[in-house]
Amino acid sequence: MLFRSIDKGELVLGPGTGGFLIGEPVWKDYTAGAKIKLTEHQKADGWTQGAMISVRVMNAGDAYRFGIGTFGQGTKQALAYRADGGVVVRVESVAFEWELNTFYDLKINVEGNILKYYIDDKLVVEFIDNTYPAGGIAPTLIDKNSTVTARFDDFYITGDDVPDINLSVTPRSKLTTTWAKVKS
């Protein structure tokens, strides 16, 4: 596990950290989500910078990613892409005026080859891709220049292919201990 710290019950990922995997490589269809806020951010020319949830994670470089941040010197965005061997394959990103120190509820639904990304219960991106048919999730920080810090809380994963998991400290399902262990 790579994480900076736990503060006020929130996972803090910052410069020099990446994230960690939750789940199993055989998980296929599920909905995953978390509250995410950027507390520090600086654009990096030609690079993605932001806080994300990675789904259908096969290894550190192969996954679908969705979050908030910037791409290159571009505008603030809801970032959505596939990473292949660490190389970003842009799928779709849309303008989204996120603010520092504001939590956003990110949710990702993966079913078959359809991926749907939501921010605060609003559908932001939907696309079809079958490169990664299964895998776990990971809170992820993409930070080329060591200038990004983000906070994550209230992770959850639910679906027929996975056991009920709620990684918040409020018990809503049968496996709440994982997030509680990370937070301690």
Side-chain angles (χ1 to χ4, degrees):
M1 256 190 268
L2 296 174
F3 59 88
R4 185 170 159 194
S5 66
I6 302 299
D7 180 48
K8 299 178 184 171
E10 300 163 357
L11 171 67
V12 180
L13 296 180
T17 62
F20 61 93
L21 179 64
I22 301 167
E24 300 295 330
V26 296
W27 291 358
K28 292 181 182 176
D29 297 339
Y30 55 83
T31 299
K35 290 181 184 177
I36 297 177
K37 74 175 167 182
L38 289 166
T39 57
E40 297 176 53
H41 181 276
Q42 182 177 345
K43 296 177 187 177
D45 190 25
W47 291 93
T48 301
Q49 297 277 94
M52 302 178 192
I53 300 172
S54 297
V55 297
R56 290 192 173 164
V57 178
M58 300 306 296
N59 59 52
D62 297 329
Y64 298 103
R65 294 186 174 140
F66 177 62
I68 56 175
T70 55
F71 184 79
Q73 293 298 324
T75 60
K76 294 178 178 180
Q77 298 179 9
L79 305 165
Y81 63 88
R82 186 181 80 226
D84 297 340
V87 176
V88 173
V89 177
R90 291 281 309 265
V91 176
E92 185 174 346
S93 293
V94 296
F96 179 73
E97 284 296 318
W98 52 265
E99 298 294 328
L100 286 176
N101 299 307
T102 300
F103 269 114
Y104 296 95
D105 287 316
L106 274 66
K107 177 173 79 173
I108 303 167
N109 178 266
V110 290
E111 188 170 334
N113 62 353
I114 300 171
L115 295 92
K116 295 180 181 180
Y117 298 130
Y118 300 82
I119 297 177
D120 294 334
D121 291 323
K122 180 182 175 196
L123 181 65
V124 176
V125 174
E126 179 177 352
F127 65 92
I128 297 172
D129 190 282
N130 63 1
T131 304
Y132 302 119
I137 74 161
T140 306
L141 189 73
I142 305 298
D143 183 18
K144 172 65 176 168
N145 291 342
S146 297
T147 59
V148 177
T149 302
R151 290 175 171 262
F152 296 75
D153 201 4
D154 296 336
F155 284 91
Y156 63 89
I157 308 167
T158 186
D160 292 340
D161 292 346
V162 298
D164 286 340
I165 292 179
N166 172 357
L167 302 173
S168 70
V169 293
T170 306
R172 289 190 299 184
S173 64
K174 53 190 169 186
L175 295 176
T176 59
T177 57
T178 303
W179 186 238
K181 286 179 184 177
V182 169
K183 289 183 167 195
S184 62

